[in-house]
Amino acid sequence: MSHVDSIRTETFFTIEMPFRERMETRRTRFVGGGGPRAAVVAGIHGDELEGLYVCHLLASWLEELLRTTPAALLGSVELYPAVNTLGLDTLTRGLPVFDTDLNRAFPGSTAGPLPDRLAAALMEALAGAALVVDIHASNIYLREIPQVRINQDFDDKLVPLARHLNLDLIWLHGAATVLETTVAHSLNSCGTPCLVVEMGVGMRITPEYCEQLVTGILTAWKELGILASEVVIPQVSHTPLIADDSNVHFLNAQTSGLFIPSASHWTDVRRGELLGTIVSPFRGDILSDVRSPVDGILFTLREYPLVYEGSLMARVMARTGGRA
Ligand SMILES: [Zn+2]
């Protein structure tokens, strides 16, 4: 088998559109030996693009591997870079027309409306994989450091996998705060490990975050026996901090207005330090100060300046507390 035969772009879901067209949702498969299968999913939210670039970088790496040392791909890899094709086409977070967040439609159903059918097709395609990584890019409002978010119900199985991903934070969520209709929850509930990555900001690509995650995904694939142990991959250079609901502090706006940050994202901050101000576009006065409640790391920072009372502006992870 030449390397061209071992790379296949396939349609895993198709539905007839109201006029003549068909919507097709595609994946690329890189087929090696009979070892474990891994998958990377991106673009479930149509305004999040970081994962699409991660898929490009992984495809480029795998194409080179299959051209030079095809026997080193012991298993197989599937890339699903653009799951919500209609949303990506129209710069819409959810599924247009259906006004549905696709990541609230899992596990879906083969007899339901379009979002349910697409969710069911993705579930069927991903079930049984050794590892699924579902990449999200926050939203247009908040910038996030590269992190993995894990439901504490599955932490025994997922934290060891997440440690390979070369990211800076593993955030463990209590079961009460977890949404059960996401692709990750649905896969983990049926025994297929799925890690949710959040990084960067909506509608943008942060190349250094994408490259950091690629190193981590290749490392995980090697650990799982999808790549041969002698394959040379970039060196892991990040060690994750562990956050949980006890050491993450949410900073919500006390007044509506324009948020003007004065601290840089992903820096150490001191208790009481000024992180930004909320100002009025009508008057010269400052409406409120935003200060860090603890010594910690500013890991989420508002990107979109307009805020309403209660809007999230930042998250700080305390240096103390949490599970080591
Ligand atoms: Zn998302």
Side-chain angles (χ1 to χ4, degrees):
M1 193 162 66
S2 78
H3 81 276
V4 176
D5 299 328
S6 51
I7 303 174
R8 302 168 194 165
T9 297
E10 305 170 336
T11 297
F12 72 93
F13 177 74
T14 180
I15 192 166
E16 195 173 343
M17 299 299 270
F19 298 101
R20 275 178 300 187
E21 301 85 354
R22 292 189 75 81
M23 184 185 96
E24 293 191 10
T25 311
R26 298 198 182 104
R27 67 180 175 194
T28 307
R29 286 177 68 210
F30 298 83
V31 183
R37 180 165 68 97
V40 175
V41 174
I44 282 186
H45 289 137
D47 59 351
E48 300 179 15
L49 305 178
E50 307 266 12
L52 279 68
Y53 187 54
V54 172
C55 285
H56 161 76
L57 293 173
L58 289 169
S60 168
W61 193 91
L62 287 162
E63 285 163 12
E64 179 66 9
L65 183 77
L66 288 171
R67 196 180 60 77
T68 55
T69 48
L73 183 59
L74 304 179
S76 60
V77 171
E78 296 167 2
L79 304 179
Y80 298 78
V83 174
N84 179 4
T85 46
L86 290 178
L88 288 157
D89 282 343
T90 54
L91 224 173
T92 310
R93 185 174 183 79
L95 255 172
V97 183
F98 296 88
D99 203 18
T100 300
D101 183 333
L102 183 58
N103 213 21
R104 306 287 179 271
F106 288 87
S109 121
T110 53
L114 171 57
D116 296 42
R117 289 178 192 224
L118 177 53
L122 191 62
M123 282 296 291
E124 191 189 342
L126 296 173
L131 176 63
V132 177
V133 178
D134 175 27
I135 304 172
H136 289 260
S138 184
N139 51 42
I140 63 167
Y141 303 102
L142 301 167
R143 178 172 285 278
E144 301 280 3
I145 71 169
Q147 60 196 270
V148 186
R149 295 192 183 163
I150 290 176
N151 176 349
Q152 279 172 340
D153 285 350
F154 305 115
D155 61 358
D156 289 353
K157 192 170 177 183
L158 296 185
V159 171
L161 287 168
R163 285 186 183 280
H164 297 309
L165 285 191
N166 195 36
L167 301 185
D168 296 276
L169 181 69
I170 296 175
W171 187 358
L172 302 171
H173 287 272
T177 64
V178 168
L179 293 160
E180 298 194 342
T181 50
T182 63
V183 64
H185 192 272
S186 299
L187 285 170
N188 285 314
S189 297
C190 67
T192 297
C194 179
L195 294 173
V196 178
V197 170
E198 281 282 2
M199 63 181 198
V201 65
M203 296 190 188
R204 296 288 180 269
I205 287 171
T206 317
E208 63 271 26
Y209 290 3
C210 297
E211 285 155 17
Q212 182 182 339
L213 176 59
V214 164
T215 296
I217 290 173
L218 295 176
T219 304
W221 289 351
K222 206 163 159 175
E223 289 292 324
L224 291 166
I226 294 156
L227 299 176
S229 56
E230 64 272 17
V231 171
V232 177
I233 60 174
Q235 191 72 36
V236 166
S237 50
H238 296 251
T239 307
L241 298 162
I242 308 286
D244 61 28
D245 297 334
S246 74
N247 64 346
V248 173
H249 296 259
F250 291 66
L251 279 77
N252 297 89
Q254 291 174 351
T255 50
S256 301
L258 293 175
F259 174 65
I260 309 298
S262 52
S264 298
H265 181 227
W266 201 355
T267 48
D268 285 326
V269 292
R270 307 292 299 177
R271 182 177 177 180
E273 184 175 331
L274 189 68
L275 305 182
T277 51
I278 298 174
V279 301
S280 165
F282 292 103
R283 299 281 304 273
D285 48 338
I286 289 171
L287 301 172
S288 57
D289 287 341
V290 182
R291 293 182 183 278
S292 178
V294 289
D295 290 349
I297 298 151
L298 180 60
F299 75 91
T300 304
L301 185 61
R302 187 146 188 113
E303 180 84 9
Y304 186 73
L306 278 182
V307 293
Y308 294 89
E309 224 178 291
S311 295
L312 185 63
M313 292 169 301
R315 294 189 192 100
V316 179
M317 182 189 154
R319 279 278 177 204
T320 53
R323 299 184 344 178

